[in-house]
Amino acid sequence: FPHTTFRWIGLDGSHILTHMAPAETYTAQATALQLVDSLKKHKDIAYSNESLYLYGNGDGGGGPLEAMLERLRRVEDVDGMPRVKHAHPNEFYEHVEKTAKELVSWKGELYFELHRGTYTSQALTKKLNRQCEMLLRDIEMLSVIAQTVDSKFVYPAEELTRMWQQVCLNQFHDVIPGSSIEMVYEDSTAIYKEVVASAVALKQQALSVLVASSTDALHATGLAVVNTSSWVRTEVIAVPGLVQQAGCVQQMRKRDDVALVLATVPGCSVHAVDLSTQAAAVEQVTPVRVVREKDGSVVLQNAFVAARISADGRLTSLLDLQQQRELVPSGASGNVLELYDDLPIFWDAWDIEIYSQEKVRPVLGASITVVDEGPLVASVAVEAKVGKASSIRQWISLSASSARLDFDCDVDWHENRKCLKVAFTWDIYSDQATYETQFGVVQRPTHRNTT
């Protein structure tokens, strides 16, 4: 990375003072050689001639030693050596803000080209973190609305703060990446599950107030649908516990016997859905349908797309019916399950080496079964054995209300030092791909020139 002290520009144009300690370690040993080396590696010394030096036996081992403290005392003000001063990090940053000259700026991500394995290690931790973030955000919004509807409703500020603190605790740099020891994840999983349970209870309290405020409408319809997004959504939703009735429920999802309902709900609102008009509502959309081909493939089709799933579970065609454009190149396919070796040089939980991409084996022998056939959702189940002792079951589904093809996966995993990925090849040429991040999106290159 080309800078040491700089201003990091965010998505909205704001910036923060950023410093990367030039010693390139947080466990420095306070030797004269390391101090001089830290000075030499300072890349922005023309703008700010100060830097942080983080020393001590780290990673849970002891901290600063007496010998380190003595060495630093002796070199505090020695000719030919960088001057050394013990201070709080806040003092360092405040002084840089006052004295630095025209610091350079960096816009975009700070991508550390190492430890790529942390994107996938301990998948349950990452899933629970995201679940908690979404739940807490929904509670905040629903509680504010509930407070405006019922003045007696008390906004759960103290409990929300406690839960956010627990979630943020697990965002420590060795927990959420998946690089801690087993006992850490026993604790963090218990913390997450407690937060989820408390969050669900708080969410239910807020929803009870909101539903009670529209009691008359709900008595007539029996179903309230909540949309915590900020835009109008028309979707097929699964409603557990709802029994099939003539004119009310038009389809039961076969894989779990859950009722499916078509609903259009404004953004940030609770909306009453009239189940007695479901038949009429479904007639307003083009039903999704299933076509079985002679070669064993299956086509899922609605008003927007037609997706062809081969007999071995691969996506061999995705036709955009609105544009009449094929999105899968001829001879290529998507939903290709691939098994990679995961044998990093140093740290198993941290890294996936670049050479792992050269050691890949496709998962063969998958089979498909038609599960749902509309009118609201069509789906197929794909089952395959993976590696020596693992298996995967996918549900590929298409709803009547969306051009999105959904892939839900259940994996029974018993492999060692293997990584399962799924590959898609598209007839789309773009130098950039767009990804979600906090409060916006970031774009990343789709190509690789050198590293």
Side-chain angles (χ1 to χ4, degrees):
F1 189 75
H3 302 300
T4 297
T5 306
F6 56 98
R7 300 197 182 279
W8 190 11
I9 301 176
L11 295 175
D12 61 351
S14 60
H15 58 79
I16 58 172
L17 177 62
T18 307
H19 177 75
M20 294 185 177
E24 298 178 350
T25 180
Y26 51 84
T27 58
Q29 297 298 298
T31 64
L33 181 61
Q34 281 187 339
L35 288 166
V36 172
D37 193 49
S38 176
L39 177 64
K40 290 179 179 178
K41 289 181 177 179
H42 197 310
K43 300 178 178 117
D44 295 295
I45 203 162
Y47 309 106
S48 173
N49 65 351
E50 298 175 277
S51 66
L52 290 174
Y53 183 76
L54 310 175
Y55 69 96
N57 292 338
D59 272 349
L65 302 182
E66 184 177 354
M68 298 176 189
L69 293 167
E70 178 61 19
R71 285 196 294 270
L72 291 173
R73 186 191 68 79
R74 293 188 181 193
V75 299
E76 283 182 356
D77 190 9
V78 175
D79 286 346
M81 292 288 294
R83 292 186 177 181
V84 177
K85 174 186 176 182
H86 279 92
H88 193 283
N90 286 356
E91 182 181 338
F92 165 77
Y93 282 103
E94 289 167 1
H95 192 256
V96 170
E97 282 280 16
K98 293 177 182 178
T99 61
K101 304 173 184 176
E102 299 180 355
L103 289 175
V104 295
S105 297
W106 181 270
K107 183 176 176 61
E109 290 185 289
L110 302 180
Y111 174 45
F112 181 49
E113 295 188 32
L114 192 64
H115 299 336
R116 298 174 181 90
T118 58
Y119 282 105
T120 51
S121 293
Q122 295 291 341
L124 178 60
T125 296
K126 294 169 171 60
K127 176 183 177 181
L128 289 171
N129 173 75
R130 187 60 167 156
Q131 182 181 1
C132 288
E133 288 179 335
M134 297 299 290
L135 270 172
L136 295 177
R137 180 262 179 193
D138 285 354
I139 293 169
E140 290 175 353
M141 189 200 77
L142 294 171
S143 296
V144 168
I145 299 175
Q147 200 171 33
T148 63
V149 170
D150 183 355
S151 60
K152 295 180 181 179
F153 181 84
V154 179
Y155 184 85
E158 185 174 336
E159 179 64 1
L160 275 168
T161 299
R162 184 194 70 82
M163 290 190 292
W164 271 119
Q165 287 173 341
Q166 293 287 74
V167 173
C168 289
L169 172 66
N170 283 342
Q171 290 179 353
F172 172 71
H173 83 266
D174 268 324
V175 179
I176 197 169
S179 51
S180 290
I181 61 175
E182 182 180 5
M183 286 188 293
V184 169
Y185 293 103
E186 292 172 356
D187 290 346
S188 65
T189 300
I191 290 171
Y192 279 130
K193 289 184 176 179
E194 185 277 325
V195 169
V196 169
S198 297
V200 169
L202 285 180
K203 186 176 181 179
Q204 190 60 43
Q205 290 175 19
L207 286 174
S208 297
V209 172
L210 297 177
V211 170
S213 69
S214 54
T215 302
D216 293 340
L218 291 177
H219 278 167
T221 64
L223 184 64
V225 180
V226 183
N227 178 11
T228 57
S229 304
S230 58
W231 58 90
V232 177
R233 295 168 64 181
T234 297
E235 291 192 23
V236 176
I237 57 176
V239 186
L242 188 62
V243 296
Q244 190 165 17
Q245 300 175 15
C248 294
V249 176
Q250 299 301 299
Q251 183 181 350
M252 301 292 290
R253 190 168 62 188
K254 290 183 179 179
R255 80 177 190 228
D256 51 11
D257 200 33
V258 169
L260 300 175
V261 172
L262 181 65
T264 298
V265 183
C268 299
S269 68
V270 180
H271 186 69
V273 174
D274 191 345
L275 292 177
S276 65
T277 63
Q278 271 292 291
V282 172
E283 288 179 359
Q284 299 301 311
V285 299
T286 301
V288 63
R289 63 192 185 98
V290 174
V291 179
R292 294 173 172 83
E293 303 287 2
K294 292 181 180 180
D295 61 359
S297 62
V298 174
V299 177
L300 310 180
Q301 182 173 334
N302 63 11
F304 311 102
V305 296
R308 182 185 301 274
I309 314 298
S310 67
D312 58 355
R314 297 188 175 185
L315 179 67
T316 55
S317 171
L318 184 63
L319 179 63
D320 183 336
L321 298 176
Q322 307 290 315
Q323 301 296 325
Q324 284 299 302
R325 183 173 186 273
E326 174 59 63
L327 297 172
V328 179
S330 177
S333 56
N335 197 41
V336 179
L337 296 168
E338 298 176 337
L339 191 64
Y340 291 79
D341 285 347
D342 184 11
L343 295 167
I345 297 173
F346 295 112
W347 306 288
D348 281 20
W350 286 98
D351 292 342
I352 290 180
E353 303 294 348
I354 193 73
Y355 56 72
S356 69
Q357 298 184 25
E358 301 171 8
K359 303 184 71 175
V360 56
R361 293 180 296 280
V363 175
L364 304 175
S367 62
I368 65 170
T369 306
V370 175
V371 180
D372 295 295
E373 300 189 55
L376 292 176
V377 168
S379 67
V380 298
V382 179
E383 296 184 80
K385 292 183 178 180
V386 179
K388 294 181 179 180
S390 302
S391 62
I392 183 172
R393 174 181 288 179
Q394 291 181 311
W395 284 272
I396 306 175
S397 55
L398 181 67
S399 77
S401 62
S402 173
R404 188 183 70 207
L405 193 63
D406 290 327
F407 294 78
D408 296 312
C409 303
D410 284 342
V411 182
D412 185 17
W413 189 251
H414 301 283
E415 304 306 299
N416 184 29
R417 289 177 170 82
K418 300 292 182 183
C419 184
L420 181 64
K421 299 183 181 182
V422 60
F424 290 83
T425 301
W426 301 113
D427 189 16
I428 298 172
Y429 186 80
S430 173
D431 289 337
Q432 302 286 334
T434 303
Y435 298 82
E436 177 192 23
T437 190
Q438 299 93 325
F439 309 110
V441 296
V442 294
Q443 289 188 321
R444 298 168 182 151
T446 58
H447 58 280
R448 183 171 65 241
N449 289 329
T450 52
T451 58

